[in-house]
Amino acid sequence: MFVARSIAADHKDLIHDVSYDFHGRRMATCSSDQSVKVWDKSENGEWHCTASWKTHSGSVWRVTWAHPEFGQVLASCSFDRTAAVWEEIVGESNDKQRGLSHWIKRTTLVDSRTSVTDVKFAPKHMGLMLTTCSADGVVRIYEAPDVMNLSQWSLQHEISCKLSCSCISWNPSSSRAHPPMFAVGSDDSNVTYGGKVQIYEYNENTRKYGKAETLMTVTDAVHDIAFAPNLGRSFHVLAIATKDVRIFKLVPMRKESTSTGPTKFEVQIVAQFDNHNSQVWRVSWNITSTLLASSGDDGCVRLWKANYMDNWKCTGILKGDGSPLTGSSGQPSAMSTVLGSSVQSSQNALNGMSAGRYFFPPLDPPRAGIVYGHLLPPSSLIEHCDTEPIQPQQQPLPHRLSSRALLPLPEAEGQ
């Protein structure tokens, strides 16, 4: 069961981004009030603000954590055309703040001429690398040659995307079969450029990043993009937040041994959902890439999951304030899959009898004689995603040990 917990963030303006650290025990938020706040989770599950400071001279768009093997390191980016790297330092024994931690700025990256719209650390197997994208259409990749000295960063790559950039995502795969790769999304209003998502791949021969693919079917402004964690797959899965939620599969095509160009991909759209009925602002995967969360202007977080046939469906709807979904706002619309089929799903209006009601796939009705039937929740608490009536099973259950009829026991004497 999901429990919604509100946190009084005390930001003075809009909060643009929330980021968890690797272990999920720390959280960072950034806002148009030009500040970043760091939150720590206590043993009882409460979040407490442990640091708050002004980071930029403009709205702070994004904040992100480095892998903990590099220390407690944050990066932020802002409308003030800069990105900054911050490190948490614990006071020395001879310091007045003995044992207390504080955040210090290690460096400011000032190469962009326009607003820096996103910042991401590369996967840890690539070393301590930081990527920024900006409204001038340029992606910049920096590297810290000495991970013990975060004040020194060198600009390694500068890639022009020809479109205003809004978001970036690294492919987390550490397989040697997959060269380093990232995707960049655009919110450019220029309609002459069709594909708003571009895939770039590192070429060992040229030692540069080249464009491997453009998703031409994505023509609307892209607000967020996220590669799914790659658990040994030969292909890649990419989620995109635009006017709806889209999931793409990128299957590398066989590459000739003499070829020196970037990998070509077979692009398949796996799923497309317009259930938010509004702009979608964020998409995020769980660590096993089996669950996708999306948030939109409808004020809801929606959870998506694929079944064994790779058909994606909505498995949960979480309203931000924890109140129950009422009326038509909780009604998912058609979901499209790669097979081209549409599953029409609708919800009955909820009566609001309990806060935090969520939708899950329909359960099979308990069959007569099932020992654990009494453990199922009452039907009034189960909201079904599909409206098709569930037909009781007509065929008898198969016998486990033998199909022979059992002989009746002899009656006791005297009865």
Side-chain angles (χ1 to χ4, degrees):
M1 179 178 178
F2 299 106
V3 177
R5 177 171 295 165
S6 297
I7 301 172
D10 201 30
H11 277 290
K12 306 303 181 187
D13 210 329
L14 289 175
I15 298 174
H16 293 291
D17 197 19
V18 178
S19 176
Y20 288 97
D21 74 341
F22 178 80
H23 301 290
R25 303 287 304 179
R26 308 194 80 184
M27 181 172 67
T29 58
C30 64
S31 165
S32 279
D33 64 7
Q34 306 177 3
S35 73
V36 165
K37 292 177 184 283
V38 174
W39 307 77
D40 287 293
K41 191 176 184 180
S42 62
E43 293 299 328
N44 61 3
E46 298 290 336
W47 290 92
H48 301 281
C49 182
T50 55
S52 177
W53 70 99
K54 181 181 177 182
T55 54
H56 293 272
S57 58
S59 295
V60 187
W61 302 130
R62 300 268 189 153
V63 62
T64 187
W65 295 83
H67 191 276
E69 78 173 34
F70 302 114
Q72 295 299 302
V73 180
L74 280 172
S76 58
C77 64
S78 169
F79 181 75
D80 67 2
R81 301 179 294 179
T82 69
V85 178
W86 310 85
E87 185 177 17
E88 186 181 37
I89 300 298
V90 178
E92 301 292 340
S93 58
N94 58 353
D95 192 349
K96 291 181 180 179
Q97 295 185 338
R98 178 180 178 180
L100 299 178
S101 64
H102 59 283
W103 291 83
I104 61 173
K105 182 189 286 188
R106 287 306 191 188
T107 192
T108 302
L109 307 173
V110 296
D111 297 284
S112 176
R113 299 187 302 273
T114 57
S115 172
V116 182
T117 53
D118 200 1
V119 59
K120 289 288 194 309
F121 286 100
K124 74 178 182 69
H125 67 269
M126 295 175 58
L128 188 53
M129 302 183 73
L130 184 66
T131 311
T132 67
C133 69
S134 50
D136 60 8
V138 178
V139 173
R140 296 175 176 87
I141 302 177
Y142 300 86
E143 183 178 15
D146 181 6
V147 296
M148 303 301 293
N149 180 13
L150 300 186
S151 60
Q152 298 295 323
W153 293 79
S154 59
L155 179 60
Q156 297 291 316
H157 303 279
E158 207 168 33
I159 304 138
S160 177
C161 300
K162 299 181 181 179
L163 283 174
S164 174
C165 301
S166 59
C167 50
I168 49 179
S169 176
W170 281 94
N171 177 19
S173 173
S174 58
S175 169
R176 292 185 178 180
H178 301 148
M181 183 171 67
F182 66 87
V184 57
S186 171
D187 57 1
D188 202 307
S189 58
N190 190 342
V191 294
T192 59
Y193 290 94
K196 293 292 193 293
V197 174
Q198 301 176 28
I199 313 293
Y200 288 86
E201 186 183 72
Y202 185 70
N203 189 311
E204 286 287 353
N205 296 316
T206 62
R207 297 195 173 183
K208 292 182 179 180
Y209 283 86
K211 186 189 297 185
E213 195 65 59
T214 301
L215 305 186
M216 299 302 295
T217 57
V218 183
T219 57
D220 297 284
V222 175
H223 306 300
D224 197 21
I225 194 167
F227 271 107
N230 188 301
L231 303 176
R233 287 191 302 259
S234 61
F235 57 89
H236 314 293
V237 179
L238 184 66
I240 297 171
T242 172
K243 67 177 183 178
D244 48 25
V245 180
R246 302 184 195 185
I247 303 174
F248 286 86
K249 182 187 290 187
L250 305 175
V251 184
M253 300 176 71
R254 188 176 295 277
K255 196 173 183 179
E256 297 181 7
S257 57
T258 57
S259 175
T260 58
T263 305
K264 293 299 181 184
F265 294 94
E266 178 189 349
V267 180
Q268 304 172 7
I269 181 164
V270 177
Q272 184 171 350
F273 312 104
D274 60 0
N275 301 37
H276 283 284
N277 291 316
S278 61
Q279 292 294 318
V280 183
W281 290 100
R282 287 289 187 273
V283 284
S284 179
W285 293 94
N286 68 342
I287 196 169
T288 56
S289 72
T290 56
L291 196 68
L292 176 70
S294 62
S295 64
D297 271 339
D298 60 347
C300 293
V301 173
R302 297 172 187 265
L303 304 177
W304 314 94
K305 190 176 178 67
N307 62 13
Y308 68 98
M309 294 182 64
D310 206 26
N311 292 328
W312 288 80
K313 288 189 176 183
C314 176
T315 61
I317 304 177
L318 291 68
K319 199 164 184 181
D321 58 5
S323 61
L325 290 164
T326 57
S328 60
S329 62
Q331 295 183 354
S333 56
M335 305 179 187
S336 301
T337 66
V338 68
L339 301 176
S341 62
S342 297
V343 181
Q344 295 293 336
S345 302
S346 62
Q347 309 293 345
N348 295 327
L350 303 183
N351 56 16
M353 60 184 293
S354 65
R357 298 282 291 274
Y358 306 101
F359 303 95
F360 293 93
L363 300 172
D364 290 334
R367 294 186 291 268
I370 290 184
V371 177
Y372 302 107
H374 68 284
L375 298 180
L376 290 173
S379 58
S380 61
L381 295 182
I382 301 176
E383 303 292 343
H384 296 304
C385 284
D386 297 320
T387 57
E388 291 83 356
I390 302 174
Q391 300 295 334
Q393 297 188 3
Q394 300 296 330
Q395 65 273 20
L397 291 174
H399 295 290
R400 288 186 177 180
L401 300 177
S402 173
S403 60
R404 292 178 296 177
L406 296 177
L407 297 176
L409 292 175
E411 295 183 0
E413 297 180 2
Q415 290 186 358

